[in-house]
Amino acid sequence: MAPYLALYEQVLYSNIISVVNEFPTGAQRQRYASAAITFRAPYWDWAAAPPAGQSVYPASLSDPTVQVTMPNGTTTIKNPLFAYTFNPLVPQDMFYNPFASWVETKRYPTSWDVAATSQNNLVAQQLDNSRLSFRDRLYNLFTAYSNYTEFSNEAWIPDGNPGNLDSLESLHDAIHSLTGSSGHMSYLDYAAFDPIFWLHHTFIEPEAQVEGTFTYVPGTVKDDQSPLTPFHTDATGDMWNSETARSVTTFGYTYPELAGGNNTNSSIKAAVNSLYGSTAGSTGLSSKAKRNLIDREEAVVPVQTTVAQAVTSDGKRRQYLANIKAQKFGLDGSYFVHIFIGDFNPSPASWSFEPNLVGTHGVFANLGTSTSDGCQRCKEHQDSGLQVTGVVPLTTTLVDKISKGDLPSLDPNDVAPYLTKNLHWRITMMNDTEVPRNAVPDLAVSVVSAQVKPASSHNDFPQWGDFTVLAGITDGRPGGHNVGDLC
């Protein structure tokens, strides 16, 4: 667990105990005291299938008020997970407007005016529209990546494996971008002020091991023994490091799927398959039976012939990925890359909601990197041309197209010409302003195919291999495949 999340949990716990102590001695107080003992920081799983008919963006985050029990009875209060109210707002700390004027955090704000309001209904809609992409990305990361550097970090590795261009950091960035949509969560400068930041990071905590790097001089070489300043392990000033913070049990907690000693490799694989793999890619990569899912998944699951159409002569399944590479700080702020298969509305404001959207990827950056008074470190990154990568899996949508009769099969001879005609990508800033594809520094979108041996049991993972760049699908188009890039 990242030490800063442990500190966050401790602060929450101390406040819980203070609230419990406000109740008079008796059965009610004792019940709350018993519950407090088992409290652990909550997390938000944005990739798992939500309960039937519900959004992956739960009401506990989007309802502006919540009913709570107080010592003197039940009352309605502002929902602390809906927004954080600055008390007080210090404009010079926020630096840029409208963040220097907004007295509470915003999600998908109606504008950048002072009077803007959050549009949580739109946050829910666009997260739901990309959830299958999030699920497939997370499952692919767990099953296809064996190198932790590639698994965890989004920086582009020249001459790397074209099958390893996604990362937990990149997927983390997409959730930030879509949740904020020009609000606080969209920008590195302000994201941690939004309460949803903490639910997001408690879920994706392995990526958070990089915290503490801001205390090091640029060029410093770090290893697992480097101190994660300023987080202390004790009152004498000793610091946590990546090795001492490696196990969640060090901090006295676990996750439901790992409870009761279920932390062996086989039990972890079974949990991943259960949560994300039962229909990932909809071509039978995991061996667990399909679950009842909602929305687009309902259209995909009944297609029994698809598995056979995806099988190679040696029993492997075909998978297709859209690789994305671009400069992280190339557009003076965070931006979206929308991937479509099929027609879409020409209005940029509709793109993250389109039925033919495969997935929206977010590049998570700072504001003002091109201004003279902006973040110095960000300007250094911009000057260095830092390139990052992400992936939008295509197979689930291709299977859906087969079910509708639009595509004969997943054979490359069918898929390549189909994607050449129907695969599209567009770029917008967080406020839905379109950016020409050829105006995005180092943008390159290309398609990669893979052959995957399905898992042999519910507690095993599929085996990925035979990654091939299908350059002709996007070559010659704005922001398409670049000769010499393995993306």
Side-chain angles (χ1 to χ4, degrees):
M1 183 182 191
Y4 84 96
L5 287 176
L7 178 60
Y8 154 72
E9 186 176 76
Q10 290 171 2
V11 171
L12 284 181
Y13 179 75
S14 66
N15 280 278
I16 288 171
I17 295 302
S18 297
V19 171
V20 169
N21 290 336
E22 292 179 4
F23 286 80
T25 301
Q28 186 180 44
R29 174 171 170 169
Q30 183 56 47
R31 180 160 61 91
Y32 291 157
S34 298
I37 294 174
T38 62
F39 169 79
R40 296 297 182 269
Y43 62 90
W44 170 41
D45 187 342
W46 31 255
Q54 296 186 28
S55 171
V56 72
Y57 185 62
S60 58
L61 299 175
S62 60
D63 288 345
T65 61
V66 63
Q67 194 174 68
V68 297
T69 301
M70 308 286 282
N72 57 352
T74 301
T75 188
T76 299
I77 65 171
K78 292 177 65 175
N79 181 1
L81 298 180
F82 178 80
Y84 171 69
T85 301
F86 296 93
N87 186 27
L89 174 70
V90 182
Q92 57 265 37
D93 288 348
M94 298 292 109
F95 203 83
Y96 296 108
N97 270 316
F99 300 97
S101 302
W102 282 341
V103 296
E104 68 176 16
T105 55
K106 309 291 183 185
R107 299 173 195 153
Y108 209 135
T110 51
S111 69
W112 265 18
D113 295 333
V114 174
T117 58
S118 292
Q119 301 178 97
N120 281 278
N121 59 319
L122 299 185
V123 174
Q125 290 176 35
Q126 61 184 8
L127 286 171
D128 288 336
N129 204 33
S130 280
R131 190 194 64 79
L132 297 185
S133 175
F134 301 152
R135 179 206 64 188
D136 291 351
R137 290 179 70 174
L138 190 59
Y139 187 70
N140 293 354
L141 281 167
F142 279 125
T143 60
Y145 290 63
S146 58
N147 182 301
Y148 184 76
T149 298
E150 295 173 342
F151 172 86
S152 61
N153 291 279
E154 65 183 358
W156 179 52
I157 302 174
D159 302 321
N161 183 342
N164 290 348
L165 265 68
D166 212 0
S167 67
L168 200 60
E169 182 179 13
S170 181
L171 180 51
H172 148 276
D173 288 4
I175 301 300
H176 265 279
S177 303
L178 283 168
T179 304
S181 292
S182 81
H184 289 74
M185 271 287 282
S186 297
Y187 303 103
L188 285 164
D189 320 64
Y190 307 109
F193 287 110
D194 191 322
I196 203 172
F197 171 95
W198 301 94
L199 298 170
H200 174 37
H201 275 252
T202 305
F203 174 62
I204 206 161
E205 65 172 31
E207 192 270 323
Q209 294 297 326
V210 300
E211 107 287 271
T213 57
F214 63 89
T215 63
Y216 287 87
V217 175
T220 301
V221 177
K222 293 177 53 183
D223 59 24
D224 61 354
Q225 301 298 315
S226 301
L228 297 174
T229 56
F231 300 102
H232 299 94
T233 61
D234 52 44
T236 65
D238 293 331
M239 299 288 180
W240 289 100
N241 60 45
S242 295
E243 180 60 36
T244 57
R246 184 181 302 276
S247 174
V248 296
T249 57
T250 301
F251 298 90
Y253 81 101
T254 187
Y255 288 85
E257 294 77 20
L258 306 180
N262 293 325
N263 57 354
T264 63
N265 281 342
S266 60
S267 61
I268 292 172
K269 290 178 179 179
V272 170
N273 283 330
S274 176
L275 284 169
Y276 314 114
S278 61
T279 57
S282 298
T283 53
L285 296 188
S286 71
S287 65
K288 185 175 172 62
K290 293 180 173 66
R291 296 176 291 177
N292 292 323
L293 302 172
I294 62 173
D295 300 328
R296 277 190 282 175
E297 289 170 292
E298 292 180 344
V300 172
V301 171
V303 185
Q304 301 300 328
T305 59
T306 299
V307 171
Q309 290 168 326
V311 176
T312 65
S313 59
D314 54 357
K316 296 179 181 179
R317 308 291 164 83
R318 299 191 186 278
Q319 294 284 301
Y320 295 90
L321 312 167
N323 283 348
I324 303 165
K325 177 177 70 68
Q327 286 192 26
K328 185 175 181 70
F329 299 100
L331 293 183
D332 202 18
S334 303
Y335 57 96
F336 291 126
V337 181
H338 307 278
I339 303 291
F340 307 92
I341 295 181
D343 296 334
F344 55 95
N345 190 309
S347 171
S350 74
W351 288 346
S352 60
F353 309 101
E354 285 293 296
N356 281 332
L357 179 81
V358 184
T360 292
H361 176 60
V363 179
F364 184 43
N366 295 75
L367 280 173
T369 53
S370 65
T371 63
S372 60
D373 53 0
C375 159
Q376 179 60 36
R377 187 180 183 195
C378 301
K379 287 200 287 288
E380 292 171 356
H381 280 309
Q382 185 183 43
D383 292 342
S384 71
L386 176 66
Q387 298 180 46
V388 294
T389 58
V391 173
V392 172
L394 303 177
T395 312
T396 294
T397 298
L398 291 173
V399 168
D400 189 30
K401 299 299 183 183
I402 293 173
S403 73
K404 295 174 180 176
D406 297 336
L407 176 66
S409 76
L410 289 180
D411 186 278
N413 292 324
D414 292 325
V415 171
Y418 180 79
L419 289 180
T420 300
K421 178 181 179 181
N422 293 286
L423 180 71
H424 308 283
W425 57 97
R426 294 293 185 271
I427 316 300
T428 61
M429 302 303 291
M430 293 290 105
N431 63 358
D432 297 325
T433 300
E434 182 178 6
V435 179
R437 288 167 290 172
N438 56 11
V440 182
D442 293 320
L443 175 65
V445 175
S446 59
V447 175
V448 171
S449 67
Q451 296 186 25
V452 187
K453 181 180 179 181
S456 58
S457 68
H458 74 284
N459 57 5
D460 197 9
F461 280 162
Q463 299 175 26
W464 292 68
D466 300 313
F467 291 100
T468 303
V469 178
L470 306 179
I473 293 175
T474 64
D475 192 26
R477 299 164 67 182
H481 175 75
N482 293 326
V483 176
D485 284 350
L486 290 178
C487 69

